[in-house]
Structures are given as structure tokens and as C-alpha cells.
Amino acid sequence: MARMISIGRVSSRLGGVALLALLGSATVFFVMRAGSGDPAIAVLGEQATPEAIAAFHRKWMLDDPLVLQFWRWLSSAVMGDFGLSMTVAGGTPIMKLIASRLPNTLFIGLYAVLIAVVVSLIAGTLSALRHGKFTDTAATSLAVLGISMPDFWLSYVLVYTLALGLGIFPSYGFTPPAESIAGALYSGFLPALAIAAPMAAAFTRILRTALLETLYRDHVRVARSLGYRDAFVFVHFVLRNALIPYVTVIGLQVRYLLGGTVVVERIFGIPGVGALMVDGAFGRDYPLVQACALTFLLSVLLVNFAVDLVCAALNPRSA
Amino acid sequence: MNEHKLSRRTALKLGAGAAALAGLPWMNSAALAADELRAGIAGFNVINTLDPARASLVPEFYVIYGAFNGLLKFNEKMEIVPDLAESYATVDPTTVEFKLRKGVKFHDGNEMTAEDVKFSIERVMDEKLASPNRGKVTAIASVTAVDPYTVRITTKTPYAPLLNYLTNTRTGTQIVSKKAVEAAGEGFGRKPVGTGAFMVKDWKSNESVDMVAFDDYFGGKPKIRSVKIPIIAEESSGMTAILGGQVDLTSTAPFADVPALEKRTSEVKVLKQPGLNTRYFALNVTKAPFDDVHFRRAVSMAFDRNVLVKAAIFGEGVAIPGVLPPSLWPEGKGFHSDYTSFNPQKAKQELAKSKYGPGTEATVIVWGSNWWRRTGEIMVGMVNQTLGTKFQLQAMEFNAAFAKAKAGDYQALVFGWLGLVDPDEYLGEILGSTGFRNIQGYSSPKMDDLLEKARAEMDPAKRRQIYREADLLAVEDMPVLPCFCSNVHNLLRPNVQGFNQLPYSNFADQFAHMTVG
């Protein structure tokens, strides 16, 4: 373990993170500016007079050379200041917006991962152990269904059945975890389930495949022949090996959780970072999109790092 | 068998558990309060400012209507009646005198006087403030506070739209507290102080606005004590929210779902009427192929507006022969023009007169909600089929489309306006050579003369007749292809009483006299 996270490795990694963050921010910045559209239109609306638009441009210094604007953004972003929202939340500090929304996005994302992990551990294990039997077919079919269903469609199915049909869950709205954890678990269940379904399916399939591959390996046969109990063999020699690809796939999926849940956030009215960024992009809220993109980028890099650590810890050869 | 029974029992247990959870107080304690209204703004996601002078977006005005009042307002019959004014009278052709109500309090406790009125209107007029609503007041020469309760507004020339522009609609001329604005400066937009029945208590950008009743409201203490206004980006989520009981009222409804919602009478009330809006295709008359009037007319006769109404907006509107919506027609009467009626034969004859023939290519830009796209798809499909043209669709989002429109970098695009109350905002601003809604590059001295005459005509009936002439001229010249006027909708839960829907897409102005049973 210790040798995996040596200081040199961490610092070179951090350097890479900084470089990627810079490149990513620059790309987002210049691509946004290259596209057509104008934040002034988003704020002042269709009725805006040319004078009003010009005044808006002056106020936000949008007429300056792009490189200068980028430098201005970068030098304050390095100090942790993302500036003010231009069009989505006129004049609100962006840090405040993200700080109030990131917990919601993380909560729903982790909630979904938790549901997906629990479901896939059970379904994946069952279908591997009962390989070729009815349970396996059922679990595999469900997995294909889960992967094929688009999340917006599943969201509406859940709303119409569990919320409007049976009246068990609210059809719209989200209680932030900061207000009430129980409320967040309850109001967040349907959106989390909608996000979890395709993940659970992907996790189940990878776990099943990995388990099946390991189940018939020589070392497992040897362990069995030595007389260890089935459960012991499964946990120590099968599951542990199979967990490495499984955790890697979870890590891959977690990356999409931040930005990839926009549609579900929209349908259920969850004030999350993804929806904020999309609104920012439609409204040409340049600094807001920059800040959201950077948040996502850093989160992805962080998750990658964490997945590496977990896999290293799981690997029996390095333990 | 046994296994199945077990699983079913487990499922029931799970369901019961969830239902028990649902009954817990944290679920929606707010929903149980009978004096709270949850009014969702659906289909919009941004409110930037609640300062009337700076506001321009429809959802901003939805809230402003409840926090502020204008000198005037529209009653249920869409007649102009005094609001903050007690009465008003025309002194001479260019001067209107307003007697103000006495004892009207702002949310900060100060009394509303002529000074505040003068200040509010001059603020919108101020070039430095660059108000997006400045066009409403450019005709005003001066605002004079004669005494604390008398204001005179003088226009440069006789100006018929003036009274409409002083109502509590999308005008920006709502009366603000001078003291509060001077104290707050630019921050006023986030801490609005008006005279309305509700005060803004909390506002989470991009999420919700919370309002509380203003007990000193001049119209009497509101029965509803507080209003929660979630900003629901998706119109369809607004619908599921009201069906699930998460909101009591919505600002809009998706066209496609209205017919089904109207059948669920025990769960939801649907209010609808033709709105004050107009939907059309703007044609860039400075670029081929729409620089040829015959080609424009041919295209106009090559698609069926009734099909658009049926298929694009599910019957939730009416086809219109000109630019003006029915509620602004003289004596409520429409007109027939061959140029805006579907007639394949005449369309082909007209095309024969044009310098462009079948096979002409053009790109039609569509943007926004699905129904806008469907409008474009159906029009392009029918026109291509009728004339043999090769029109194509290009989809983009609003900001990009509008930037192209402003720059004149397009051939045709779907467009429309809503919530406008004066005919000049339609014909004058869309077709006048200097009108800011004129993205077509259209300029006609004859049209400009008519519009000028209409602006100066103080007799409402005569004024509407002039606009009819202008509408007919518009159809001759065809710089836009008028299509339809859509219905405005509000969804209400059955326990909500007292919401009077008005065609200009009103909202919070109704909260003062509403109740939630």
C-alpha cells in the first residue's frame, strides 16, 4: 500500500491534475466563445435595445480581447474566486451556487450508486452461482432491459406508477439533505432509482462475467479440493478477484454521475450542478459554465485516483 | 407457489413501509397548510431580477405582478382600470393626469406618493439605466408631480399606447419605492420593494422564490399568507407536480397534454383561452429567396395553418390570417385573405410569377420546445410537397437562433411573442421599419405611415381599424408568414379558488384575492 502512494507519484499526479484542469478550462472557455449567442440576450430578453445590450457588454467587460478575459478568469479562479453568475442567477457568487448544489448532486449520485451496488451484488452473484438457470436468465434479461431504458423514459414511468399511480413518492421536488436526510432519502428515491437502473444493469453484467471467469479457475478448484467450505471459497477466492473489474466499472460510471444526471435532475426538480451547468450553457453564463466544468473535471480526476487506490488495495498480489 | 406468496407479501410490506414514510411530517408539511399557495412557474428556468425597470423575461414578470402595482391594470374583461391611481383623465391630447390613491404603503412602510411614480417612470426612461423596457416610455416628454397625490404624464405627441404601457403587465412601469431603490442601488433587483400584496422573502436563483403576504396591502389583507414559487424548468414536470399534489397552480401547461388533463376533472382544473400572442415565420426579405414578394406569398399559400394548429399545438389555439391575435381585432372580427389561406393551385400560380421556381433551396431555423419544431417540420413538409421546393430545417437553441436573427444571418425562422397588450407592440414593432422586433429587414413607407397614424389615434375603435389596414398590408407584403395564436393555460388543483386568467399570461397579480381550500 505504502509504496503505491509514494510522494513522488502523488506530486506528479497533482501536477497532471493541474495541467488537465488548465487545458480543460481553456478548451471550455474558447469553445464557448467561438459559438454563437450572447449572454446579454439571455438576461435582457427579446425586447432588449442595442443600448441595453451594449451596456451589458461593458458591465461584464465582454468586449475585451478573449485572451485577456481568459487571463482575468484564470487569475481569480486560481485564488478560488469563480466570480459572479451573469445570466442564470444574475450577480450571485458562483461559489455560493455550486456550494449549495453540489451536495444535492453528490447525494443523488451516491444514493444511486448505493442502490446499483446492492442490486448488482445480489443479482450478479445469484446469476453467476445459478449459471444457466432461471434466476440467471431473469437477472440477465433485467440487466439488458436496464441498459436499454433511457433514464428520462424510466423517470416518467416511475413518476406515473409509483408517484401518480400509487401515490407512494412525490412526483416532483427534492428536499435537500442539508434540510433533512430522511426527506432527501424519500424525495430522492425515484430519481436515484432512475439513475441507478442502467448502472445496476452494467454492474450486474460485469460482476456475473467476472465471477463466472473466476469460478472455474485452477486456484478455486484447488481450494475446493482442499476442503474449504463453499462460502469461504466464494468470498476469499472468487469474489475478491472479481471485485477488481467490478470496482473499475463502478469508477467509470461514477464519473458520469455528476454531469450525466441532468435530465433526471430536470424532471424531478433537483437543484443540482448538472442542471445548473446546462442552464448556464443555454444562457451563455460563461463564468458559471467554466466553474461547473472545472468542478466536474476535478471530481472525475479525484474519482480516478480513488478507484486506483481501491483496486490496489483489493489486488491480492499487492496486499 | 409458496415463494410467490412470500414475495408478494414482502412487496406489500415494502409498500406499506413506504406509505408510512409518506405520512411522516417531513414529507410535505407545507402542503398541509391551508393558507399557503404553491404556485409553480413551469417551462422557464431563469429569473435574473425582480426590478421592473430591468426585468424582461416572462417569469420575472410573473413574480413582479404580485410584488408591484402599476398606475393602471386590466380587469377580468381586459378593460383598463385604475390600480395605484384612483382615477385618471386626459387633460389635453398629450397629457394624462393621474390622481393617486392615498395611504398606499410600500413593503418598507413608506407611503407611495407622486414622487415615487415620477421616479419609477423616469428610471425606465433613463438612458443610462438602459432598461430593456425603455421602448415603452420613449414617447413620454415629462412626468410631473403636481402634488403628492397628482401626477401628470406628457407625451411628445398624442400617443395612444400610453395607458396600456402603464398597466401591471410586461411593461416595466410598475411603481417602485424611490427610497428603497436609492438605498439598495443595483441590489434592488434582488430585494424588490413594491406596493403589491406579496413581498419577496427568499429567492434561490434558478430554484424558487418565496413570498409572504403584505398585511398593509391597499387592497386588503390577503387570505393566503405565503406563496412558494418553484421554478420548474420542464413544462411536463409542472404537470406531474400538480397531478402529484406538489404544487397548487402552474403558470403554463404543455399543449400536448391539455386534452388529457381536461378529462381529469377531479384532480386538476384547466383554464384556457386564446392568448395575447402571435406565432409566425420571420422571412429575411434582404436575402434570397425571400427577397421576392411572390415567392413569399407562394410559400404562405402552400401550407395549411389549421393543420399547424391541430398537429403542432394539438388544437390549443387558432389559425390567424394576419399578425394580430383575435383579441386585438376591430370589434372582434377577423378577415379573410387568399394570401394566408392554404391553396395549392394559387400557390403554384404565385410561384410562377416569382423569379424563383420549384427546387429553390432555403433553410428554416427552428428552436425551443417541441411544438416549435413541429411547426417548422409541418410547414417545411407541406411547402416542399406543394411547391416542389427544397426547404430544410435547422434546429438550434434559442440564444443562438436569436443572435442569428438579430444579425440578419438567416433565411427563415419560426418566431413569436407573447404577453404583449398593445397592437403597436405587434404591428409597430414587428413590421415598422425601426421596430426592434423587426428582424426581417422589412421597410415600407406605407406601413410606417399607417403605424404612425395609429399611434396618434386616441379613439380606440378608429385605432383598431387602422391596425386592420396595416394587418392587410402586412399580408400583401408578407415579410412574415402569420400562423396562429396559441391558448394560454393554467393548471389548478380543485381546492384553489379565485384565479382569474387573463390573456397576457398573468400570474402573481391574482394571489391577492385567491384562497386555497
Side-chain angles (χ1 to χ4, degrees):
Chain A
M1 237 348 240
R3 106 189 103 98
M4 295 304 294
I5 45 166
S6 65
I7 293 169
R9 210 189 136 114
V10 167
S11 60
S12 79
R13 245 198 130 130
L14 281 178
V17 165
L19 190 69
L20 275 174
L22 178 69
L23 281 175
S25 300
T27 311
V28 171
F29 185 92
F30 290 104
V31 167
M32 282 266 304
R33 299 306 174 96
S36 64
D38 187 343
I41 293 174
V43 172
L44 302 171
E46 308 90 356
Q47 318 213 25
T49 54
E51 297 82 46
I53 290 176
F56 182 89
H57 286 176
R58 269 198 306 280
K59 182 180 162 196
W60 292 97
M61 297 186 274
L62 291 170
D63 298 322
D64 290 349
L66 280 187
V67 179
L68 179 64
Q69 289 187 52
F70 181 66
W71 173 248
R72 205 181 289 135
W73 176 82
L74 185 68
S75 47
S76 40
V78 169
M79 307 304 288
D81 176 13
F82 287 128
L84 306 177
S85 162
M86 260 187 218
T87 69
V88 169
T92 317
I94 290 170
M95 269 318 261
K96 211 176 114 189
L97 280 175
I98 293 186
S100 79
R101 281 158 175 258
L102 197 57
N104 299 339
T105 299
L106 289 177
F107 181 86
I108 288 292
L110 291 177
Y111 196 0
V113 170
L114 190 75
I115 295 176
V117 165
V118 170
V119 170
S120 63
L121 274 178
I122 297 170
T125 309
L126 281 181
S127 65
L129 291 181
R130 305 198 182 170
H131 178 49
K133 303 219 175 80
F134 174 75
T135 324
D136 181 27
T137 320
T140 321
S141 311
L142 270 177
V144 172
L145 197 65
I147 286 180
S148 328
M149 276 188 299
D151 53 2
F152 65 87
W153 186 78
L154 182 61
S155 293
Y156 280 116
V157 169
L158 291 173
V159 165
Y160 278 94
T161 52
L162 296 179
L164 298 181
L166 297 175
I168 301 173
F169 293 100
S171 58
Y172 183 84
F174 178 65
T175 310
E179 261 172 50
S180 152
I181 292 284
L185 284 171
Y186 172 61
S187 62
F189 184 72
L190 293 189
L193 194 59
I195 299 166
M199 283 198 299
F203 298 173
T204 303
R205 283 173 56 162
I206 192 75
L207 186 63
R208 176 179 174 275
T209 314
L211 286 174
L212 282 179
E213 235 172 57
T214 327
L215 267 175
Y216 303 107
R217 285 248 189 97
D218 290 344
H219 74 273
V220 176
R221 210 175 300 150
V222 170
R224 280 226 182 88
S225 64
L226 288 176
Y228 287 119
R229 278 179 298 119
D230 278 357
F232 183 85
V233 173
F234 182 75
V235 171
H236 286 263
F237 299 112
V238 181
L239 191 60
R240 186 160 182 179
N241 275 316
L243 278 182
I244 295 171
Y246 180 70
V247 169
T248 313
V249 168
I250 292 178
L252 281 172
Q253 290 283 332
V254 167
R255 283 172 219 177
Y256 299 112
L257 277 183
L258 286 164
T261 57
V262 178
V263 178
V264 177
E265 282 181 5
R266 271 291 182 84
I267 291 173
F268 288 97
I270 300 166
V273 190
L276 187 68
M277 182 168 169
V278 169
D279 286 341
F282 279 125
R284 301 295 187 276
D285 197 331
Y286 300 135
L288 180 63
V289 175
Q290 291 284 118
C292 292
L294 193 61
T295 309
F296 289 153
L297 189 72
L298 290 175
S299 317
V300 168
L301 296 174
L302 198 74
V303 169
N304 279 353
F305 190 53
V307 168
D308 280 1
L309 287 183
V310 172
C311 283
L314 279 173
N315 191 340
R317 280 177 286 260
S318 72
Chain B
M1 238 359 245
N2 234 344
E3 254 184 41
H4 281 177
K5 257 187 208 157
L6 254 179
S7 67
R8 206 176 293 156
R9 210 173 284 158
T10 320
L12 277 176
K13 265 189 212 154
L14 280 173
L21 280 177
L24 287 179
W26 42 258
M27 177 207 169
N28 43 11
S29 52
L32 306 170
D35 52 5
E36 181 177 79
L37 175 73
R38 298 158 307 159
I41 292 180
F44 298 96
N45 53 20
V46 170
I47 290 180
N48 264 302
T49 179
L50 294 174
D51 176 351
R54 294 179 196 275
S56 82
L57 310 176
V58 174
E60 295 171 344
F61 279 106
Y62 278 153
V63 179
I64 286 172
Y65 296 156
F68 293 90
N69 297 95
L71 285 173
L72 308 169
K73 67 174 181 184
F74 285 102
N75 67 9
E76 299 92 277
K77 293 177 197 150
M78 278 305 280
E79 297 157 339
I80 290 180
V81 292
D83 197 2
L84 286 177
E86 201 171 56
S87 64
Y88 62 97
T90 309
V91 180
D92 61 58
T94 57
T95 310
V96 186
E97 186 175 275
F98 297 86
K99 290 278 178 205
L100 303 182
R101 277 177 196 265
K102 286 174 187 152
V104 174
K105 289 265 167 61
F106 280 113
H107 299 157
D108 61 6
N110 291 309
E111 194 190 3
M112 190 262 327
T113 66
E115 270 309 308
D116 297 295
V117 174
K118 179 179 160 68
F119 175 79
S120 302
I121 294 170
E122 284 181 348
R123 236 178 126 229
V124 185
M125 291 162 67
D126 183 8
E127 267 179 60
K128 266 183 277 165
L129 190 118
S131 165
N133 307 310
R134 199 167 158 263
K136 300 278 184 289
V137 295
T138 38
I140 295 177
S142 67
V143 184
T144 324
V146 180
D147 64 55
Y149 302 107
T150 311
V151 178
R152 278 187 177 199
I153 298 181
T154 308
T155 51
K156 292 164 191 162
T157 51
Y159 188 61
L162 181 69
L163 295 182
N164 276 335
Y165 291 168
L166 295 173
T167 56
N168 189 14
T169 58
R170 283 181 74 184
T171 53
T173 54
Q174 285 81 356
I175 305 307
V176 298
S177 158
K178 183 181 176 187
K179 277 188 190 146
V181 172
E182 282 172 352
E186 280 225 17
F188 185 75
R190 286 204 78 88
K191 288 199 168 78
V193 177
T195 53
F198 288 87
M199 303 183 274
V200 173
K201 188 180 116 199
D202 190 23
W203 166 17
K204 289 196 192 102
S205 294
N206 206 229
E207 280 182 54
S208 62
V209 177
D210 289 354
M211 300 181 99
V212 286
F214 175 46
D215 286 344
D216 289 334
Y217 173 57
F218 66 85
K221 206 167 143 177
K223 290 203 185 78
I224 288 170
R225 305 311 299 155
S226 60
V227 186
K228 277 202 186 311
I229 307 179
I231 302 167
I232 304 172
E234 300 297 324
E235 259 184 9
S236 48
S237 293
M239 180 187 71
T240 52
I242 202 154
L243 288 175
Q246 268 75 46
V247 296
D248 305 307
L249 164 73
T250 69
S251 62
T252 44
F255 294 124
D257 295 302
V258 169
L261 287 168
E262 283 178 321
K263 292 193 189 112
R264 306 177 75 152
T265 44
S266 61
E267 298 158 84
V268 61
K269 265 191 288 187
V270 180
L271 299 185
K272 70 175 187 186
Q273 63 180 308
L276 273 163
N277 58 56
T278 186
R279 321 289 188 176
Y280 55 86
F281 288 90
L283 305 176
N284 189 341
V285 302
T286 65
K287 276 194 175 161
F290 296 111
D291 55 346
D292 179 2
V293 68
H294 297 293
F295 189 74
R296 299 199 294 266
R297 289 176 189 162
V299 171
S300 177
M301 290 187 280
F303 69 95
D304 190 342
R305 288 156 176 81
N306 292 311
V307 169
L308 283 186
V309 170
K310 267 185 220 144
I313 55 169
F314 298 88
E316 292 302 315
V318 284
I320 46 178
V323 174
L324 284 179
S327 39
L328 296 177
W329 288 345
E331 295 155 25
K333 284 190 194 126
F335 64 91
H336 170 87
S337 163
D338 278 355
Y339 291 141
T340 45
S341 306
F342 178 52
N343 190 330
Q345 223 165 358
K346 282 193 178 154
K348 278 181 207 151
Q349 285 166 11
E350 194 70 31
L351 184 68
K353 292 186 213 164
S354 153
K355 57 182 173 182
Y356 305 104
T360 302
E361 291 179 9
T363 303
V364 178
I365 295 177
V366 291
W367 47 269
S369 332
N370 286 332
W371 66 269
W372 274 121
R373 287 170 197 241
R374 282 195 299 275
T375 303
E377 282 159 12
I378 294 165
M379 179 272 209
V380 164
M382 289 189 87
V383 169
N384 284 347
Q385 202 176 10
T386 312
L387 299 178
T389 47
K390 287 183 179 157
F391 285 10
Q392 279 190 329
L393 277 181
Q394 190 187 357
M396 45 177 77
E397 38 91 35
F398 174 74
N399 199 300
F402 195 67
K404 272 181 174 287
K406 283 236 146 178
D409 176 23
Y410 77 100
Q411 289 174 302
L413 87 159
V414 290
F415 224 77
W417 304 95
L418 80 157
L420 309 179
V421 293
D422 193 273
D424 196 53
E425 293 176 274
Y426 294 86
L427 289 163
E429 291 170 0
I430 298 171
L431 301 172
S433 54
T434 55
F436 72 87
R437 300 178 212 274
N438 181 348
I439 52 174
Q440 305 86 229
Y442 170 72
S443 166
S444 149
K446 207 172 148 195
M447 177 65 83
D448 288 347
D449 281 350
L450 277 176
L451 295 170
E452 205 46 62
K453 223 169 89 189
R455 276 182 210 118
E457 178 54 66
M458 303 305 272
D459 181 279
K462 283 187 195 157
R463 187 169 177 238
R464 286 199 173 190
Q465 284 301 341
I466 305 174
Y467 282 118
R468 168 55 49 87
E469 281 179 57
D471 221 358
L472 287 166
L473 177 62
V475 171
E476 288 279 307
D477 288 351
M478 204 63 73
V480 301
L481 309 173
C483 290
F484 53 83
C485 156
S486 54
N487 290 341
V488 289
H489 300 97
N490 292 98
L491 304 179
L492 282 76
R493 286 185 67 74
N495 58 339
V496 177
Q497 305 294 333
F499 185 88
N500 294 319
Q501 182 188 62
L502 297 173
Y504 62 85
S505 306
N506 63 325
F507 197 60
D509 48 318
Q510 298 294 317
F511 297 170
H513 54 260
M514 285 173 67
T515 55
V516 186

